[in-house]
């Protein structure tokens, strides 16, 4: 299980303010804490509705890189903001993300190829997010073949079925689990999978409980990576226990502390 921290994201008010003030120390302290909590990569998102998207992304990438060599998951739908992040990055990059929409693939796949990045493929198109697993797998297949036409091999992709809030779309929880299973049969060796975990608990009363329960279910279905909050200690214990149960980590009685 590969852990990507969700918390360098301008969507959070405190992070948005730190970006506005170009408060490097605040951002760096938070990045370091998330890595100390067990994150292996950082999702880097300047937040929605910014006029200075490219400049903010350039600053945010440089600021984070000054304190870590960890992989950066550049999270933006904008080609200009993504390009600014790719140019500033010397750390390994995962582009987050393309969809199956032609104009998005046309803009993002050449960047992915040029900069040698990995890329998250969201299984949605101009019609939105499909409400069944089969259609999600169909969109995944379109992105896999289009990426290959751009000489981007399947091992560079991460497929994301798009997790929805259980409060608003309760029937989607198990469809996403099934999509994760289906994605693994689209290629040999299987293509990696990823989710934005916290989407599931949006608006729920006990968010951490919903997040860690769903993560356990997703790990049972073979999920490879998740964008989540590594500062949630119970969630990270679920990650580690799942790694033991999946035989990814050696069991010992003290595995949580080891
Ligand atoms: N897939 C991929 N990338 C993603 C997502 C995904 N990136 C963004 C998101 N989804 C994952 N990151 C978050 C970050 C925050 C929250 C949820 C997912 C969140 N934030 C609080 C809220 O909305 O209630 C905001 C709290 C605050 O303002 O302080 O829940 O699915 N590839």
């Amino acid at each position: 299980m590969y852990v990507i921290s969700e918390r360098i994201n301008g969507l959070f008010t405190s992070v948005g303010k730190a970006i506005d003030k170009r408060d490097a120390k605040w951002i760096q302290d938070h990045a370091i804490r998330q890595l100390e909590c067990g994150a292996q990569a950082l999702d880097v998102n300047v937040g929605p509705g910014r006029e200075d998207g490219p400049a903010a992304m350039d600053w945010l990438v440089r600021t984070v890189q000054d304190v870590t060599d960890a992989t950066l998951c550049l999270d933006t739908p904008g080609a200009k903001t993504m390009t600014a992040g790719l140019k500033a990055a010397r750390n390994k990059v995962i582009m987050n993300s393309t969809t199956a929409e032609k104009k998005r693939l046309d803009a993002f796949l050449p960047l992915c190829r040029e900069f040698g990045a990995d890329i998250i493929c969201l299984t949605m198109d101009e019609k939105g997010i499909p409400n069944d697993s089969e259609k999600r797998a169909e969109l995944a297949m379109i992105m896999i073949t289009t990426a290959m036409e751009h000489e981007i091999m399947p091992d560079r992709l991460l497929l994301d079925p798009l997790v929805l809030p259980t409060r608003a779309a309760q029937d989607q929880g198990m469809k996403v689990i099934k999509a994760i299973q289906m994605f693994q049969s689209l290629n040999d060796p299987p293509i990696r999978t990823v989710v934005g975990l916290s989407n599931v608990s949006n608006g729920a009363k006990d968010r951490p409980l919903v997040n860690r329960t769903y993560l356990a279910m997703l790990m049972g279905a073979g999920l490879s990576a998740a964008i989540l909050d590594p500062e949630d200690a119970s969630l990270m214990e679920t990650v580690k226990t799942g790694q033991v149960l999946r035989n990814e980590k050696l069991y010992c009685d003290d595995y949580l502390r080891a």
Side-chain angles (χ1 to χ4, degrees), residues 207-223:
R207 293 194 66 171
L209 175 62
V210 175
N211 289 339
R212 65 182 180 266
T213 304
Y214 198 46
L215 183 73
M217 294 165 69
L218 288 157
M219 286 188 80
L223 182 73

Side-chain angles (χ1 to χ4, degrees), residues 6 9 11-12 75 96 120 122 160 196 198-199 202 207 227:
E6 72 182 13
N9 188 329
L11 181 77
F12 296 103
D75 189 355
N96 186 14
I120 295 176
L122 305 179
D160 183 338
S198 306
N199 303 355
N202 217 291
R207 293 194 66 171
I227 304 168

Side-chain angles (χ1 to χ4, degrees), residues 64-139:
V64 171
Q65 278 179 166
D66 276 345
V67 292
T68 178
D69 293 329
T71 296
L72 305 180
C73 185
L74 304 180
D75 189 355
T76 174
K80 286 189 180 132
T81 301
M82 182 64 79
T83 304
L86 286 164
K87 284 187 173 154
R90 59 171 168 68
N91 294 9
K92 193 176 168 257
V93 167
I94 302 170
M95 293 168 65
N96 186 14
S97 49
T98 187
T99 65
E101 292 165 276
K102 187 175 182 304
K103 65 175 196 294
R104 187 88 163 255
L105 289 165
D106 285 348
F108 277 47
L109 292 179
L111 288 172
C112 178
R113 169 101 173 90
E114 181 186 346
F115 288 90
D118 287 359
I119 188 165
I120 295 176
C121 301
L122 305 179
T123 56
M124 63 177 288
D125 60 10
E126 39 283 297
K127 292 186 212 122
I129 303 173
N131 60 38
D132 61 77
S133 348
E134 289 74 16
K135 181 72 184 165
R136 282 177 164 99
E138 197 180 311
L139 293 178

Side-chain angles (χ1 to χ4, degrees), residues 235-249:
L235 181 61
M236 289 307 286
E237 292 191 342
T238 302
V239 169
K240 287 178 199 155
T241 306
Q243 287 170 329
V244 168
L245 292 166
R246 294 207 304 192
N247 200 24
E248 289 168 1
K249 249 195 169 121

